[in-house]
Every structure is written in C-alpha cells, then in structure tokens.
Amino acid sequence: NIDIRKWGCNRTETPFIFVHIGKSGGGSHRARFAASSINYNRSKWSGRDNSFYPIRNDAGDVVTKARFCNSRAKNFRLSQEEVTYEGTLPCSSITPIGHAIACPGRLNKCTNSESCPVVYVGHNLIGNEFHWLPPEYLSKWWLENWSHNGTVQDPIEQHFKSLTGTWCQSENAKRPRDPRVYKELYENCSVPLAHRVDKDLTNIFGDEHVN
C-alpha cells in the first residue's frame, strides 16, 4: 500500500526509527529486535550468528538482507571529553553534511555502495548514520536532492568524492577507517575540512538553513 506516498516526502525506502526514552529497559527492546530476525540462533542476543531481516521488492522477492548491529558506531561530539556508551570522537563541524565528510566513522558492513540495510541499535543521536553510511550512497542522495545539478560548480559534490579518494591533501591521506588514525589526523585534516564544508554549505543555503 503506497497511499502514504501521496503526502509528505516521496521516499522509496522507509527507515524505521524507534526512540526509547527512559532510564532502563533499552536492553529488553534490543533483545526483541534481535530475536525478530530470521535464522536467529544464539544464546546471547548481542552476539553474532547468520540471522537476517529480509528486504523484499514489490513482487515480494527477497532482494537483500539486513543485519543486526549493536552499538558499534562511535559518537561524535564537539568535545571528546564527553563520555558516551559507544565511545566518543571529536568533530568540529556544525552541520550534518560536515559531519559526514570531515568526521567519517568506521564504515558499516553494507551489502553494496548504494544501500545499507541494517537494523542498528545504540545510544547514538539521530543523524549518527551520516558518519558510517557508504560515501556513494550519501553522494547519490546529495546529487538527487540538494545539488545544483550541474548549473554551477558544486563544492559539496567534490567534498563527497574525497571520501573515496584523497580525503586530506596536506597529509596525502585517505579516509581514516580506524578511530586511532582519525585522532592522529584530526587537527591537521578534520578540523580544516569541517570549516571548508560548513562554509560552502553556508554559501549555498545561508546561515539559517545549514544546521
């Protein structure tokens, strides 16, 4: 039933976001999400097995499989001193796109570059997925929804390309895939890149729209 597509945004995929607000009980919810997968066969819900969530097309055929992921993504904050359950890495960007480009996290093990079927549970803020979604997926999203479509040179498109090429020119470094390497490159690479991306976004959209 696609009646819901008649109003609101015309997305063709449906992210399910469950926000649990409370001091306790989160683990019970995670356990139920994990146990709802097919081929679930482990004594500890946070462990690993070959279970999956089928992703079907309109004909009902399984086209890919989503996997369960428990608190594997780091949190990014302006200050690394903030203690979080998943661990904290610094990020000086003030925009979501800046976070994606200047503060990349460890890539999730997605099935391909254009989608990332995953059932993720954690204490991360909504938007944390910008750090670990495939660069190709984010670039495609930008080009289809926000880019100038070739009418002018798009600096954000070029920034996204750096995630699969030379991420940091001054250090001749590729996108860091390990938190330790990210910390080593933070001051010389991430901070100036965040400033450039945020500035380019401000030039495109204005101060009131970039956050």
Side-chain angles (χ1 to χ4, degrees), residues 102-132:
C103 310
R106 179 175 290 168
L107 286 171
N108 203 300
K109 294 182 178 180
C110 305
T111 56
N112 58 64
S113 63
E114 295 188 350
S115 66
C116 193
V118 59
V119 176
Y120 182 88
V121 295
H123 298 82
N124 312 86
L125 300 176
I126 293 176
N128 185 264
E129 64 274 9
F130 271 82
H131 297 279
W132 52 259

Side-chain angles (χ1 to χ4, degrees), residues 108-184:
N108 203 300
K109 294 182 178 180
C110 305
T111 56
N112 58 64
S113 63
E114 295 188 350
S115 66
C116 193
V118 59
V119 176
Y120 182 88
V121 295
H123 298 82
N124 312 86
L125 300 176
I126 293 176
N128 185 264
E129 64 274 9
F130 271 82
H131 297 279
W132 52 259
L133 282 171
E136 297 86 353
Y137 180 88
L138 291 171
S139 180
K140 180 182 177 183
W141 165 79
W142 172 262
L143 290 173
E144 291 180 352
N145 295 278
W146 300 102
S147 176
H148 292 292
N149 296 320
T151 56
V152 296
Q153 186 175 9
D154 186 347
I156 304 303
E157 180 183 358
Q158 299 304 313
H159 288 314
F160 270 124
K161 288 181 179 179
S162 72
L163 290 173
T164 54
T166 303
W167 178 71
C168 179
Q169 296 290 340
S170 64
E171 301 289 335
N172 192 28
K174 294 184 179 295
R175 167 200 179 120
R177 298 176 181 269
D178 186 277
R180 291 172 295 180
V181 177
Y182 175 81
K183 291 179 182 179
E184 294 173 359

